[in-house]
Structure formats: C-alpha cells, structure tokens
Amino acid sequence: MSGFEIERKFLVRGEDYRDQASGSIRIKQGYICSGHGKTVRVRCCDHCGYLTIKGPADALGMKRYEFEKEISLEEAEQLMALCEPGIIDKTRYLVKSPDGVHTFEVDEFYGDNAGLVMAEVELGSEEEPFEKPDFIGDEVTGDRRFHNGHLRQFPFILWRGTIPRAFRHLTLE
C-alpha cells in the first residue's frame, strides 16, 4: 500500500473501548531511522511484519505520505535488531464508530509509555465527517508528543503530568 494517509488522533477516556472492540492485536514496533518528520518503521504483529516509510506530516499533522509493505515475521524480527533505541509496545483495539462507518484504532501502550491510550481514525479527506464513540476525548492530531516516533525518544513517563487529569488512567495515580 502506498499513498497519502489522513488520520486524526484523540486521547481516550476510561476503558469502555475494550468492551466495544471487535478484536485486538499486540504490536511491537521500532524505527530504523527517523528525523525531520520522516520515518522508516518496522512492526511485528502476531504472525507477520510490516515495513513502513512515512513522509513528513502537513501543517495540521493530519496528512502524510505512507508506503507500507507486509513482510514475514522473521524478516521483521531481523530488522528490529537494526532499530534505533526505544521500542514501542502496545495493544491495538479495533472499535467501530457508533454509526458503523469508521473504525477507530485504539492503542494502549506499555513500558515507559504505560498509561497512555490514544485512538486514531483514518479518513478519505481532511473534511470527512465522522461519529465519535463516547470514550473519545481531546484531539491531539497536531501534537507531536503523541507521534509514536516521538514516544520512542521521549516516552510518556517523562511528561504524563502535562495532560489533563481526566485522561490519565488509574495506573498513573
């Protein structure tokens, strides 16, 4: 797959997303290189892997070029050994919007990013309307702190006190 991806990111309130999820997958991802908004990422998920190249985001942080190719799990694990320090470890839950039109990908992070839960929704255009599930909170689309590549270098544990208390999970208290 290649082309432009348009996505919006949100903080998540509570844990209702788990009950609403149609499925989940554990993801470990690393970055072979990153800088100037561009990344080369490798991802291990269940029985397969992915190599992804992303270009810099637009001014709103919503749209960016993405090239992604499925690779074998063995290839992904070998590439993980080449990654920069800091692996992202998370479970991704898939939750349909209330109207059933969109799928929200809700990421629950572990390790130094534990306590952070974010949701993304991919859109066909920047103006496309979508219905939010009740657990969706503040939008963080343009906030670089919430990019996985940034979380790798500056994990949530270092700055978690800067987000509103309503979005911090009990594990942070």
Side-chain angles (χ1 to χ4, degrees), residues 15 18 26 32 53 106 115 117 140 147:
E15 298 178 1
R18 289 183 185 153
R26 187 71 177 257
I32 294 172
I53 302 169
V106 180
V117 182
V140 293
H147 293 189

Side-chain angles (χ1 to χ4, degrees), residues 48-69:
C48 63
Y50 295 91
L51 181 64
T52 306
I53 302 169
K54 292 189 175 197
D58 67 3
L60 297 175
M62 193 181 314
K63 181 178 179 180
R64 67 192 296 192
Y65 178 80
E66 177 182 72
F67 170 85
E68 186 169 74
K69 177 138 179 83

Side-chain angles (χ1 to χ4, degrees), residues 138-156:
D138 288 349
E139 184 164 4
V140 293
T141 299
D143 191 333
R144 182 174 154 69
R145 294 178 301 170
F146 296 97
H147 293 189
N148 285 295
H150 191 264
L151 289 169
R152 175 190 65 78
Q153 294 179 292
F154 303 100
F156 188 56

Side-chain angles (χ1 to χ4, degrees), residues 102 114 125-126 138 145 157 161:
H102 295 92
S125 74
E126 290 101 9
D138 288 349
R145 294 178 301 170
I157 195 169

Side-chain angles (χ1 to χ4, degrees), residues 36-63:
H36 307 291
K38 303 173 203 166
T39 61
V40 179
R41 175 185 79 199
V42 62
R43 183 179 272 179
C44 296
C45 320
D46 287 346
H47 305 294
C48 63
Y50 295 91
L51 181 64
T52 306
I53 302 169
K54 292 189 175 197
D58 67 3
L60 297 175
M62 193 181 314
K63 181 178 179 180

Side-chain angles (χ1 to χ4, degrees), residues 109-146:
F109 292 84
Y110 305 111
D112 286 345
N113 290 303
L116 179 61
V117 182
M118 290 188 303
E120 299 177 351
V121 61
E122 288 200 20
L123 305 170
S125 74
E126 290 101 9
E127 299 83 26
E128 182 178 344
F130 59 95
E131 193 172 339
K132 299 177 194 171
D134 290 340
F135 58 79
I136 296 296
D138 288 349
E139 184 164 4
V140 293
T141 299
D143 191 333
R144 182 174 154 69
R145 294 178 301 170
F146 296 97

